[in-house]
Amino acid sequence: MSDFTLELTEDAFLGGQLLLRQPKAGHRVGHDALLLAASCRARTGERVVELGAGVGAAGLAVAKRVGCLDLVLVEINPALAALARDNAKANGIAAQICELDVTAPAQTFAAAGLPPDGADAVLMNPPFNDAARHRASPDQARAAAHMAQPATLQHWVAAARRILKSGGVLTLIWRADGLSEALAALDHGFGSLAVLPVHGDAGKPAIRILIRALKGGRAPTQILPSLMLNGTSAQPDTYVTEILAGRRVLPLAIP
């Protein structure tokens, strides 16, 4: 296992199907990663790339569901990349770990085994907090995982577009009040968008959006029925509980 200087925890996800070691402090695996995984449309044998993988939660969750993927986890932080490698091995999942900046040029991606037009699916949870409206965490790893720069989303979408095959699927999660930013970033090279709003509580504004986009797609954009994390009683919705346990998927994952 990796030599990691920070204190770690080992936590169970997908109803105990997936065990992940992660730093005790800083950015932690949460609902966003599992909802992203449950939205990723992938089939056995396909090349699936997670950009900004952290300790590998979303990509490994997809692999647990689908099985026998050509999985690539891209992470810039060396310590988190090492944990992603360890987590893949501990869960019996074959995965290539690339220690790589998502904003790196095409030549760097190609040298790491990610040439243009090679991936069937890309999933990503980019840093999305607006630096103008949110105070960055004093924890550097947490701040890097959460705080977006003005062109963050455009750079990440451009990287996904480059490595995806024609007709390949991009799945991303973003903050709901940044819908216009997401649509603008996807306007070049992507189409056939499906948008799923995620609400923390019924009757309150959406807090997240999950988007599926096809490289070169031409179908009109669809707004799917919203997902409510909690029901009217403020208790977790049964459907959501099934999704987080890995027993169901979200509509975006269904062809």
Side-chain angles (χ1 to χ4, degrees):
M1 303 294 280
S2 298
D3 180 16
F4 199 92
T5 58
L6 295 179
E7 187 177 356
L8 303 177
T9 64
E10 183 172 83
D11 305 288
F13 298 92
L14 302 180
Q17 299 177 66
L18 185 66
L19 295 177
L20 299 175
R21 296 175 75 234
Q22 59 178 329
K24 185 175 182 178
H27 179 63
R28 303 267 296 168
V29 176
H31 285 5
D32 284 3
L34 299 181
L35 294 176
L36 178 63
S39 300
C40 180
R41 193 169 77 187
R43 293 175 292 188
T44 297
E46 290 187 333
R47 167 160 271 210
V48 175
V49 180
E50 182 184 3
L51 299 180
V55 300
L60 295 176
V62 175
K64 272 291 182 184
R65 184 185 87 229
V66 178
C68 298
L69 292 176
D70 179 8
L71 179 64
V72 183
L73 304 176
V74 176
E75 172 54 45
I76 190 174
N77 184 303
L80 295 182
L83 279 173
R85 183 177 294 106
D86 290 345
N87 285 332
K89 183 177 180 180
N91 285 278
I93 298 171
Q96 175 189 349
I97 314 300
C98 290
E99 190 180 314
L100 183 64
D101 186 343
V102 174
T103 66
Q107 299 93 321
T108 305
F109 267 73
L114 289 168
D117 308 312
D120 298 285
V122 171
L123 65 159
M124 62 188 195
N125 178 10
F128 55 57
N129 283 341
D130 186 344
R133 293 186 295 161
H134 297 267
R135 179 177 297 177
S137 169
D139 183 283
Q140 291 186 355
R142 185 177 179 86
H146 286 262
M147 301 306 294
Q149 300 304 314
T152 293
L153 187 57
Q154 291 92 328
H155 288 317
W156 283 54
V157 168
R161 182 174 61 245
R162 186 177 63 242
I163 64 176
L164 276 169
K165 299 175 180 177
S166 179
V169 182
L170 168 62
T171 309
L172 67 92
I173 189 167
W174 193 249
R175 66 180 199 279
D177 64 3
L179 174 61
S180 60
E181 300 170 46
L183 295 179
L186 293 164
D187 189 53
H188 179 60
F190 286 98
S192 305
L193 273 60
V195 181
L196 194 160
V198 180
H199 299 249
D201 297 292
K204 293 185 178 180
I207 56 174
R208 299 284 187 270
I209 47 172
L210 286 154
I211 302 178
R212 183 187 69 207
L214 303 188
K215 182 177 177 178
R218 296 182 178 274
T221 295
Q222 302 178 51
I223 307 295
L224 302 180
S226 295
L227 178 70
M228 303 293 172
L229 297 182
N230 296 309
T232 54
S233 62
Q235 297 298 314
D237 182 86
T238 302
Y239 174 51
V240 173
T241 300
E242 292 283 299
I243 291 167
L244 297 179
R247 292 189 288 268
R248 299 187 69 173
V249 296
L250 288 164
L252 296 177
I254 301 172

